[in-house]
Amino acid sequence: MKRFLFLTLISFISSVGFAQQSSRLPDNKELVSKARSFYVDTDTFYMKREALESSLLGQAEFKAWDLQVTGKKELADMVVRVKRIPFSNHFSYTVTDRDTETIVMAGKVDSLAGTVYGRIAKEIVEKMVRLRGNPVPQKLEQAAAEAK
């Protein structure tokens, strides 16, 4: 009986060990596809958080995916961080999955005269379309089918 318990315990411990080794980090496509909310963080006077939030919410694809922008970082799935390279018009950004801290997108935008918000929002959405697919044609098809 003791031998049976010992073998059962060894079997259980080894199966738990293998289960932990097989866990993997989701890929960028999975992370972006499951995202439902975004938080915007900026460390520069030249990039207002509210303006980027508004630009993201104004993108047709962002609306079609029913994505939200939240003011609470702990409620967001994705965190958009924007930094300005000092003494330049170069703005770099990253989009990070909050749970795994995985950077799923990054880029750099050059901007003068206040166009940085729209350019960053457009670039983020274009990258998301490549990972998630374009929702706008699907929404148009659904609307046409419902109209019939």
Side-chain angles (χ1 to χ4, degrees):
M1 183 67 177
K2 289 181 184 178
R3 182 180 233 173
F4 175 74
L5 289 174
F6 178 73
L7 290 175
T8 304
L9 180 63
I10 295 295
S11 174
F12 174 75
I13 291 172
S14 64
S15 67
V16 169
F18 286 123
Q20 289 178 351
Q21 289 176 355
S22 67
S23 65
R24 65 171 187 82
L25 196 60
D27 64 18
N28 290 355
K29 184 175 183 173
E30 289 175 68
L31 294 171
V32 171
S33 295
K34 75 174 181 134
R36 293 269 149 265
S37 57
F38 285 72
Y39 174 80
V40 176
D41 186 23
T42 177
D43 72 345
T44 177
F45 169 78
Y46 298 99
M47 165 58 83
K48 300 293 183 229
R49 191 181 102 226
E50 295 82 6
L52 181 54
E53 291 170 347
S54 178
S55 291
L56 284 168
L57 290 169
Q59 299 289 314
E61 294 87 353
F62 210 81
K63 290 177 189 175
W65 284 315
D66 295 323
L67 298 177
Q68 297 176 321
V69 174
T70 180
K72 293 186 176 186
K73 186 176 181 178
E74 63 275 5
L75 296 177
D77 297 317
M78 295 287 170
V79 177
V80 179
R81 288 188 183 92
V82 181
K83 296 183 179 211
R84 178 178 167 261
I85 299 170
F87 308 110
S88 73
N89 61 340
H90 306 297
F91 294 83
S92 63
Y93 69 88
T94 59
V95 180
T96 306
D97 179 72
R98 191 182 55 81
D99 289 337
T100 64
E101 289 293 319
T102 302
I103 297 174
V104 295
M105 289 178 243
K108 185 178 86 171
V109 172
D110 297 329
S111 176
L112 289 174
T115 62
V116 67
Y117 314 111
R119 295 183 76 183
I120 290 176
K122 184 177 180 184
E123 207 170 281
I124 287 172
V125 168
E126 286 173 354
K127 290 177 180 181
M128 287 179 67
V129 165
R130 282 187 237 130
L131 293 169
R132 289 178 87 142
N134 191 346
V136 176
Q138 295 168 2
K139 288 280 184 175
L140 292 174
E141 289 172 9
Q142 286 176 350
E146 290 173 4
K148 290 182 181 181

